[in-house]
Amino acid sequence: DEDEQSAKLSFQQIGYSKLGNSDNPKWASAIYVMDPSTGKTIHRVSLDEELAVSIAVVKFKDRAGEDFLVVGTVTGMTFHPRKFSSAALKVYRFMPDGTINMLHSTKILNIPLAICAAIDGRLLVGVGSSIQIYELSDRHLLLKCEQKNAVPTSAVSIKTFGNRLFVADAHESVHVFKYKSGQNDGALSILADDLTPRLMTAIEVLDNDTVAGADKFGNIFILRLPNELQDAIESTKTHR
């Protein structure tokens, strides 16, 4: 019968059986450190019951140029409806033999879909609709600056060029911010945003005023800040 035929199918044909359900979802992820010259795996770290949603190699200030690996994770996540149990930022240190050791884990309040290499020696994270800036300590990440509701729905990608941040929103295209250091713990001000709704998947900065983007429908586009706005943008004092 149909059940017997299904039982004989291999996982290569139909995939692995799904564990859990909407009330008790099950996830698992792994971090691979690979040798780029040979393609061989140097080290593998399993993340049991955690979904890895973002990753970046970051240089923090006052850390002598050392590289750290930061991974954003979430547990108990479901897409319909969108919910989760907990979220965290895990920091790993690279060891001389190529392996990684976890330094610490910092709990956060929303899903960290976007992690960007440090600006001004600090870590940029898109946490839900907010942008957060962290410094590294020995026990956990220290939140130094937060722009709440920086984008309309959820930040899915963050790129920097100088003191500018280009942030892709899940449903509302690209938003551009300016980072101002030396004011308390830093501050962000909005410079511009795209009026055309786009379901974003990725962005890449081309220069100080230009960004390339891609959406979930396979469209690729280029956005540029108008030249006549440059003087006004550089002198803006408005903060969000």
Side-chain angles (χ1 to χ4, degrees):
D1 59 13
E2 185 176 345
D3 291 338
E4 292 179 348
Q5 291 178 349
S6 298
K8 296 178 181 179
L9 295 175
S10 65
F11 72 88
Q12 290 93 342
Q13 294 173 293
I14 62 173
Y16 291 102
S17 60
K18 294 183 178 180
L19 298 176
N21 50 52
S22 59
D23 295 324
N24 185 28
K26 299 291 186 180
W27 291 96
S29 300
I31 304 169
Y32 287 85
V33 181
M34 303 183 69
D35 185 337
S37 61
T38 63
K40 294 183 177 180
T41 299
I42 300 173
H43 190 206
R44 179 183 184 274
V45 177
S46 297
L47 302 175
D48 295 333
E49 298 188 6
E50 290 182 279
L51 172 63
V53 294
S54 52
I55 189 169
V57 176
V58 182
K59 292 182 184 291
F60 291 95
K61 65 179 181 180
D62 303 326
R63 292 288 173 162
E66 182 180 359
D67 288 326
F68 292 86
L69 181 69
V70 182
V71 182
T73 67
V74 63
T75 61
M77 183 174 175
T78 61
F79 293 101
H80 301 288
R82 186 72 171 266
K83 62 180 182 179
F84 63 98
S85 301
S86 63
L89 296 170
K90 296 179 177 292
V91 180
Y92 295 84
R93 170 172 274 143
F94 289 97
M95 308 308 292
D97 60 357
T99 61
I100 55 175
N101 285 343
M102 192 171 81
L103 186 62
H104 49 61
S105 177
T106 302
K107 291 185 177 181
I108 54 178
L109 298 179
N110 212 326
I111 303 172
L113 290 177
I115 295 180
C116 182
I119 186 170
D120 194 27
R122 293 171 170 176
L123 175 69
L124 283 168
V125 186
V127 181
S129 63
S130 300
I131 299 174
Q132 297 180 344
I133 300 178
Y134 290 89
E135 284 186 354
L136 182 67
S137 72
D138 292 334
R139 294 187 177 182
H140 53 79
L141 291 169
L142 301 175
L143 179 62
K144 306 302 291 186
C145 177
E146 181 177 18
Q147 189 80 359
K148 293 184 177 180
N149 300 318
V151 293
T153 61
S154 182
V156 296
S157 182
I158 301 176
K159 301 291 184 178
T160 63
F161 194 99
N163 64 347
R164 289 189 181 177
L165 280 66
F166 295 80
V167 183
D169 181 80
H171 297 279
E172 297 293 338
S173 194
V174 180
H175 299 248
V176 186
F177 296 84
K178 181 177 180 180
Y179 175 73
K180 299 180 181 180
S181 60
Q183 299 180 6
N184 297 321
D185 289 316
L188 294 173
S189 60
I190 183 70
L191 297 184
D193 56 38
D194 184 16
L195 297 178
T196 304
R198 307 176 195 271
L199 278 64
M200 299 296 297
T201 57
I203 56 173
E204 189 61 55
V205 178
L206 303 182
D207 61 35
N208 194 50
D209 303 319
T210 313
V211 60
D215 66 24
K216 67 177 296 184
F217 302 108
N219 300 310
I220 299 175
F221 55 89
I222 306 293
L223 299 174
R224 183 173 177 82
L225 295 172
N227 292 331
E228 59 269 20
L229 293 182
Q230 294 308 308
D231 292 338
I233 287 174
E234 294 302 326
S235 62
T236 183
K237 302 297 181 181
T238 303
H239 297 271
R240 289 179 72 180

